[in-house]
Amino acid sequence: MITCPLSAVFRSIRLPLINMIWDAMRLFLKEKGITSADRVSRDDVKAFLFHEKDRKLEAASIYRALVSIRIFHRFLAAESLTKDDPASLIDAPKMLKSLPEHLSLKEIEALLKAPNLKKPGGVRDHACLELLYASGIRASELVNLKVGDVNQELGILKVMGKGRKERIVPFGSKAAESIKRYCAEVRPKWTSKNQSEQALFVSRFGKKMSRVALWGIVRSTARKARISKNLYPHIFRHSFATHLLEGGADLRVLQEMLGHSDVSTTQIYTHVDKARLKRIHEKFHPRP
């Protein structure tokens, strides 16, 4: 039989997450009199996971523990320190997907009215927020937009999303008006000394606006609008998707606009609008 002391193996690994989980499991196994990795059985792993559940750990934490244990034992098997992986046939705990936080229409309106349009910074901030909500694009996609990516006449954006996948996203007339004003009144002045800059949204120094700056815009605007929630740029994307579905948008069309490669990612928004589902049921079911 292969003898593989747990303490010796721990010293050879430099993966913090695995070490942390195995430290907890080592103590658990020690109480059962198990001090060698090749003596760990499938039942021992299951008992440890149930022990973690009894400690009120969430499903996501237990899932990470199971994955880490699998990685650990695969490493041991690859190094010929154990014969197999006792965790390989254990099912992962089912995890509930948390619903995306979104803003109400009233909150969106308050945010879009908050920027001071008498100041250049307010004009730019207003254009950023209008476009975030009108298109549902990610914060990284917004700051990476170039002037040539925006067709103000047709109301469409050329967006480079995750995995270098390009997509076309429409946006409304209010966002178009806001962008037009920003491009006419503010951007030319800010880029007068840096005319080679291609980014659509720039700082007052004429350089491409950063994601950190966008976060600052959202938070400062929230304070002006007296919204106490902890806001972040991505909440505009969640609000865009939720409000479109509430208005009756097709899920596949929304998937295309959001740039999701799998419709299952988009389906999380269908869980938000329970009121609409109830109205449809009452309207069309033969026995309401």
Side-chain angles (χ1 to χ4, degrees):
M1 178 179 288
I2 301 171
T3 301
C4 179
L6 290 175
S7 58
V9 178
F10 293 142
R11 288 195 297 270
S12 68
I13 300 295
R14 292 294 182 269
L15 297 177
L17 178 61
I18 293 179
N19 273 333
M20 181 180 67
I21 291 170
W22 267 89
D23 279 345
M25 189 171 183
R26 178 173 57 85
L27 294 174
F28 174 80
L29 294 173
K30 187 177 180 180
E31 292 180 358
K32 298 182 66 175
I34 300 173
T35 58
S36 178
D38 53 5
R39 289 181 54 201
V40 179
S41 69
R42 180 169 176 264
D43 288 340
D44 293 328
V45 176
K46 290 176 66 177
F48 170 68
L49 295 177
F50 278 113
H51 171 71
E52 295 298 280
K53 183 179 179 181
D54 290 340
R55 289 178 53 215
K56 306 300 181 183
L57 260 68
E58 295 184 359
S61 298
I62 296 173
Y63 175 79
R64 284 193 292 270
L66 177 58
V67 171
S68 299
I69 291 168
R70 285 175 179 168
I71 293 172
F72 190 87
H73 275 284
R74 285 172 189 170
F75 165 80
L76 296 180
E79 295 293 319
S80 300
L81 296 173
T82 59
K83 293 181 179 179
D84 54 20
D85 174 11
S88 60
L89 298 178
I90 298 177
D91 293 331
K94 292 183 178 180
M95 293 181 289
L96 294 174
K97 291 185 177 180
S98 58
L99 297 178
E101 186 180 13
H102 65 283
L103 299 169
S104 66
L105 285 171
K106 186 177 180 180
E107 288 171 327
I108 288 289
E109 289 294 336
L111 282 167
L112 296 179
K113 289 178 181 178
N116 186 351
L117 298 182
K118 293 181 180 180
K119 295 183 178 181
V123 173
R124 181 206 56 187
D125 296 352
H126 184 257
C128 287
L129 300 180
E130 280 279 10
L131 191 56
L132 277 176
Y133 178 62
S135 63
I137 60 176
R138 302 176 178 92
S140 59
E141 293 170 345
L142 182 128
V143 298
N144 287 323
L145 280 177
K146 298 177 181 178
V147 175
D149 294 334
V150 183
N151 188 319
Q152 297 180 38
E153 299 301 322
L154 296 178
I156 57 174
L157 303 171
K158 183 174 69 175
V159 180
M160 186 65 71
K162 290 184 177 180
R164 302 293 297 172
K165 292 182 179 178
E166 188 178 287
R167 70 185 190 278
I168 302 298
V169 181
F171 59 92
S173 59
K174 290 186 178 180
E177 291 172 7
S178 186
I179 294 170
K180 185 176 181 180
R181 179 176 177 180
Y182 160 71
C183 288
E185 299 178 9
V186 179
R187 192 181 182 280
K189 294 179 181 178
W190 284 0
T191 57
S192 60
K193 296 181 180 180
N194 187 25
Q195 295 184 8
S196 62
E197 180 59 68
Q198 299 181 35
L200 174 62
F201 293 109
V202 297
S203 69
R204 59 190 179 91
F205 301 108
K207 296 182 179 180
K208 174 184 170 182
M209 188 175 68
S210 67
R211 288 184 63 186
V212 174
L214 183 59
W215 272 76
I217 290 170
V218 171
R219 289 181 175 178
S220 63
T221 305
R223 288 195 296 270
K224 292 175 184 176
R226 297 183 179 180
I227 295 176
S228 58
K229 292 181 180 177
N230 181 27
L231 300 192
Y232 46 92
H234 211 70
I235 202 168
F236 284 86
R237 182 173 167 87
H238 294 324
S239 304
F240 164 84
T242 302
H243 296 165
L244 277 182
L245 283 178
E246 287 177 349
D250 181 81
L251 192 65
R252 289 287 183 180
V253 174
L254 181 59
Q255 176 194 358
E256 183 68 23
M257 286 192 283
L258 292 174
H260 290 159
S261 57
D262 193 330
V263 74
S264 63
T265 308
T266 318
Q267 282 176 336
I268 188 171
Y269 295 106
T270 62
H271 299 292
V272 176
D273 190 19
K274 295 181 178 66
R276 177 170 172 260
L277 293 178
K278 186 176 180 180
R279 289 196 302 270
I280 292 173
H281 181 274
E282 291 174 346
K283 183 177 179 179
F284 295 106
H285 196 277
R287 294 181 63 85

